[in-house]
Amino acid sequence: MKFWSQMREMPRDLWILFVTTLINRLGSMVLPFMVLYFTRELHFNVPQAGFLLALYGVGAMITAPLSGMLCDRFGADRILKISLFLSSIFLCAFPLVTSLAGVVVMTLLLAITSEMFRPASATLVTTSVQPEQRKTAFALFRQAINLGMSFGPALGGFLAGISFFYIFLIDGLTSLAGGIIVVAGLQKRARQTETHKTETPAPENSGFAWKDPAFMYFLIALLPIVITFFQHISTMPLYMVQDLKLSEAKYGLSFTFNTILVILLEVPLNIYTSHWNFRRSLSLGSLLIALGFGGLVLATNFLTVLITVVVWTFGEMIFLPGCAAYVADIAPQNRQGQYMGFYTMAFSIAFTFGPWFGTVLMEKYGAATMWILMLLLGLVSTVLLSRIKLPGANVSHP
């Protein structure tokens, strides 16, 4: 009953963003197949493909804070439209470029335009709902991402067997469709936002995000556990296949199991824990993620792997919406985009560094040592997050 009442209370703008994100992610099939496209279609060597993928990551890191600042200056809805329309153009044009120099330029342009979406959409979630609704709203927003990503890459695999061109085309068309929905659905909101900006005085805490010690403390506390979390796309599949002698299909099933749990339980879970303070929810979420991945050191078969997946998935469901809601709550009203931009950048850094770091540890010291170190990293975050500044508090941590 509480679930449905909460869903009915969510504003129309959030549902428009939900549909936009769902359509956009249903077409998100280029990035998962980028390396294959570079090596099989364009015949680049593996180091060149790795460089291009790293270049995309660097572009994402640079773009995140810039996009956030632009959201504060021009409005998140405008940046979202620019991201969707420009990325649709570059996606459709990407297959027309075949030289290495041209692909370098196109990869960077695609990274910049596509990754503007994340801070802009997170800022829109923040401003669309009341503060007490934010954990649930971000959980709902993640539902759109997870639902889309459940089908997009699978469709991409089918299309890749026909022609990589169709992957870029479909991705570009879904970005275009998302942009049209935002233009049609958020026009009224854009005018209201501009009116609100002119009538509302700036808050006292209106400085730059990097000058906020409580926010910087939070980002530092965040990095170890996010590095641990990203092992699910790097060392976890290697460990399951190489060490536990499980098939690649079993890893795929574990990933599907995680997605099903998130789709079914994340929104209700965040509704029923919405009254928790951020120290409790973020430290508990971090602890569960740490225990889930650290527990892989004890796994011996597929069933025990699934038990660890359940543990870290519950941590993920509590932790990730809580993190975004925390940033939304501590950000000054006229710097919400900037805060979301730096928050997104922290995840980009962890995504770029974490999988590489895990594989190096695994190769040099073995899987058992690597999982124990990931557990310790997660526990560091757990302790640090239990001491974050709560919104409205006067001290950064006790």
Side-chain angles (χ1 to χ4, degrees):
M1 196 70 175
K2 187 177 181 181
F3 172 82
W4 293 113
S5 64
Q6 286 262 3
M7 291 299 97
R8 284 194 296 269
E9 290 171 6
M10 289 297 167
R12 175 178 174 272
D13 286 351
L14 183 65
W15 289 110
I16 291 171
L17 185 60
F18 178 92
V19 173
T20 301
T21 304
L22 176 61
I23 291 174
N24 182 249
R25 294 307 174 192
L26 280 171
S28 292
M29 44 186 88
V30 165
L31 196 57
F33 292 93
M34 223 173 211
V35 171
L36 291 176
Y37 174 71
F38 292 146
T39 54
R40 293 186 183 179
E41 187 76 10
L42 300 183
H43 305 293
F44 295 156
N45 59 41
V46 173
Q48 288 172 331
F51 165 75
L52 289 167
L53 201 59
L55 182 65
Y56 187 97
V58 171
M61 283 189 281
I62 295 172
T63 300
L66 177 62
S67 173
M69 293 179 194
L70 291 173
C71 288
D72 293 329
R73 177 67 179 85
F74 300 105
D77 57 299
R78 290 178 180 171
I79 302 306
L80 193 67
K81 294 170 192 174
I82 290 170
S83 171
L84 289 166
F85 285 126
L86 286 183
S87 63
S88 71
I89 293 172
F90 291 125
L91 281 163
C92 292
F94 206 109
L96 304 178
V97 179
T98 56
S99 69
L100 180 59
V103 172
V104 165
V105 173
M106 289 297 291
T107 300
L108 194 56
L109 289 173
L110 182 61
I112 291 170
T113 55
S114 296
E115 295 302 320
M116 288 170 69
F117 182 91
R118 298 179 193 273
S121 57
T123 304
L124 278 172
V125 174
T126 300
T127 57
S128 294
V129 299
Q130 298 300 316
E132 63 273 11
Q133 296 176 307
R134 282 173 179 161
K135 285 183 182 177
T136 304
F138 278 108
L140 185 63
F141 177 65
R142 272 178 36 85
Q143 287 288 70
I145 296 172
N146 281 294
L147 282 168
M149 293 302 290
S150 297
F151 295 99
L155 177 59
F158 171 75
L159 292 174
I162 303 172
S163 172
F164 281 100
F165 170 78
Y166 293 113
I167 294 178
F168 288 94
L169 179 63
I170 298 299
D171 204 339
L173 290 177
T174 53
S175 294
L176 177 63
I180 292 171
I181 291 171
V182 172
V183 168
L186 294 183
Q187 283 183 334
K188 184 177 180 180
R189 182 188 188 280
R191 292 193 293 271
Q192 290 173 339
T193 302
E194 292 302 317
T195 303
H196 180 70
K197 283 183 178 178
T198 57
E199 293 178 353
T200 305
E204 291 183 11
N205 180 18
S206 58
F208 293 109
W210 60 83
K211 294 184 178 180
D212 183 343
F215 181 53
M216 291 296 105
Y217 173 88
F218 167 72
L219 293 184
I220 292 170
L222 191 70
L223 282 173
I225 192 61
V226 180
I227 287 172
T228 298
F229 176 71
F230 279 132
Q231 299 310 307
H232 76 282
I233 60 170
S234 58
T235 54
M236 183 178 166
L238 290 174
Y239 177 66
M240 289 178 65
V241 174
Q242 294 179 5
D243 292 65
L244 300 184
K245 308 302 180 184
L246 299 172
S247 66
E248 290 85 351
K250 290 286 179 67
Y251 167 69
L253 285 174
S254 71
F255 203 87
T256 301
F257 188 59
N258 159 264
T259 304
I260 290 172
L261 287 176
V262 169
I263 291 172
L264 293 178
L265 299 178
E266 183 167 310
V267 174
L269 182 63
N270 278 273
I271 288 174
Y272 288 108
T273 60
S274 59
H275 62 284
W276 289 7
N277 70 46
F278 288 110
R279 286 177 179 166
R280 180 183 180 185
S281 59
L282 297 188
S283 59
L284 176 60
S286 175
L287 178 62
L288 290 174
I289 293 172
L291 292 175
F293 284 100
L296 281 167
V297 74
L298 303 175
T300 57
N301 53 40
F302 185 56
L303 178 60
T304 50
V305 169
L306 284 185
I307 292 172
T308 67
V309 171
V310 170
V311 174
W312 64 256
T313 298
F314 269 88
E316 172 192 1
M317 292 188 291
I318 296 170
F319 183 73
L320 293 181
C323 282
Y326 175 76
V327 175
D329 277 13
I330 67 169
Q333 183 180 319
N334 63 338
R335 291 288 184 271
Q336 288 168 331
Q338 188 181 129
Y339 275 61
M340 282 299 175
F342 276 91
Y343 169 67
T344 304
M345 184 178 70
F347 274 80
S348 295
I349 292 171
F351 180 80
T352 302
F353 175 73
W356 168 82
F357 179 61
T359 53
V360 169
L361 285 176
M362 189 174 181
E363 182 178 357
K364 192 168 185 179
Y365 300 106
T369 301
M370 186 272 298
W371 291 127
I372 292 171
L373 287 173
M374 289 301 158
L375 170 64
L376 293 176
L377 277 177
L379 293 178
V380 168
S381 278
T382 299
V383 173
L384 293 176
L385 290 166
S386 70
R387 298 169 63 82
I388 56 173
K389 175 184 175 180
L390 294 175
N394 293 321
V395 291
S396 297
H397 39 83

